[in-house]
Each structure stands twice: as C-alpha cells, then as structure tokens.
Amino acid sequence: MNTMTDSPVFERIRQDITDNAVVLYMKGTPIFPQCGFSAAVVQILTHLGVKFKGIDILQDPALRQGIKEFSSWPTIPQLYVKGEFVGGCDIVREMFETGELGETLAASGIEVRR
Amino acid sequence: MAMDAATIERLIKESISDAQVTIEDLRGDGDHYAAHVISAAFVGKSRVQQHQMVYAALRGRMGNELHALALQTGVP
C-alpha cells in the first residue's frame, strides 16, 4: 500500500499544477460551470484575462477526494498558481476585491489584463 | 441533513476559544451560511491557514452536512 504522499492521484495533481501556471479544480468546465462557486472563480479569472486550465472533478471521483486531501481544503473550487494553493471561492473573491489577486498573478509572471 | 447556526458557532468557539463569530443564514435552508470569525489566534497566519483552522473546528462537516459557508476571517 503506497503512502498518501505518492498516491497516483497526488502524482497527477502535482503534474497538473507543475505543467500549468494557473489551474482551477472546479465542478464543471469553464464554459459550463456546474456550481455557483466554481462559476464565480471562472468569472474572476476571465475578467482578469488570465489563461487557466479548468479541471472538472465531477468527471473523476478519485480526484474529487484526492484534491481535498492534497491541499487539506474541504471544498471545491480550488485555485493553484505556479503550483501553490491560493484558495477557494471566498479567498479568491476577497483577493480580487482588494486587488491582491492581480498582484499575486503578475508577481508570478502571469499575464493579467489591467 | 443540514446544520443550524448555533451549532456552527459552538463548534468554532470550542476550538478557537476567543473567536468572535457572526453567522448569517443566506437562504434559510441550513445549508448556505456566511460566517465572519475574528480571533487573535489568526495573527501571523495566511488567509488559507485561517480558513483551515475554522474548517478544522467544524470537524469534517464542511463540504458534507455544511454545503456552503462563505467565510471571512480576521484578527481583532
């Protein structure tokens, strides 16, 4: 039995958040979000003109559970920037309203529409 | 299965003893709340860490019985 740290799901997550600068684990897809909170984060990223990879956890029950353990965060959506967990809907919204999200993204070398 | 505001407040205060908690029932269905939690225990902690402390206080209910908790945390 492998330990939690190198479970296949964790490996996949690590791969995705390394290969993509901005990753949003969400319910549904950016075009068809299936939950208000996921849709809110998609809207914020779209408003900022940020390119991101949306990963639909509804298609993958193992990922749906694994991502919560990976970040020890109990809900979806989850936003990752350059491999770092930034937050869920509340935190992303709060950071957007204070301008901190745009700064964090720009500081990570990610193109943001001003 | 849902939760009532008093239980949420009690659980948070059991783990974060000095917490000042204000809870708003967003839809009256016991599933969608907004909570504002102020505590000295958050000092020096990132937003993610502060929220994780509140989720830990709710002992696994977040994302289960409690579908949505719009959370704001802060220091006194």
Side-chain angles (χ1 to χ4, degrees):
Chain A
M1 241 289 281
N2 53 28
T3 61
M4 278 309 283
T5 47
D6 55 8
S7 74
V9 173
F10 277 30
E11 275 317 304
R12 263 195 297 142
I13 294 168
R14 242 180 240 112
Q15 195 65 51
D16 275 327
I17 63 175
T18 308
D19 293 351
N20 302 278
V22 182
V23 181
L24 180 63
Y25 290 89
M26 62 179 291
K27 288 179 182 172
T29 63
I31 310 297
F32 296 108
Q34 300 297 309
C35 145
F37 299 111
S38 293
V41 177
V42 167
Q43 240 175 1
I44 288 171
L45 294 174
T46 308
H47 176 82
L48 289 172
V50 171
K51 282 198 288 298
F52 67 96
K53 175 170 184 170
I55 295 178
D56 182 1
I57 52 88
L58 295 176
Q59 306 301 325
D60 189 335
L63 179 61
R64 180 173 191 168
Q65 189 47 38
I67 191 68
K68 293 175 183 175
E69 282 152 20
F70 183 83
S71 56
S72 50
W73 189 264
T75 56
I76 301 291
Q78 293 186 21
L79 181 65
Y80 288 76
V81 172
K82 293 281 174 107
E84 292 287 319
F85 176 57
V86 172
C89 184
D90 294 335
I91 288 177
V92 170
R93 193 182 283 152
E94 201 176 316
M95 288 175 72
F96 172 65
E97 279 152 11
T98 60
E100 199 183 329
L101 184 60
E103 282 154 24
T104 305
L105 290 163
S108 311
I110 289 157
E111 225 186 294
V112 180
R113 184 176 40 227
R114 284 290 161 187
Chain B
M1 265 293 288
M3 278 182 79
D4 60 64
T7 309
I8 297 171
E9 185 166 347
R10 179 176 53 76
L11 284 170
I12 294 173
K13 285 187 170 167
E14 268 170 21
S15 295
I16 308 172
S17 51
D18 74 328
Q20 296 153 33
V21 183
T22 47
I23 296 183
E24 197 196 330
D25 186 339
L26 297 175
R27 294 194 195 152
D29 59 3
D31 233 358
H32 296 75
Y33 287 99
H36 197 107
V37 184
I38 305 285
S39 164
F42 293 150
V43 172
K45 297 254 182 344
S46 71
R47 275 195 195 88
V48 168
Q49 289 166 327
Q50 292 176 19
H51 287 218
Q52 282 172 325
M53 286 168 71
V54 176
Y55 291 148
L58 294 173
R59 296 197 202 115
R61 289 173 178 76
M62 188 62 226
N64 295 307
E65 294 98 298
L66 189 50
H67 175 66
L69 177 69
L71 189 55
Q72 271 198 306
T73 53
V75 295

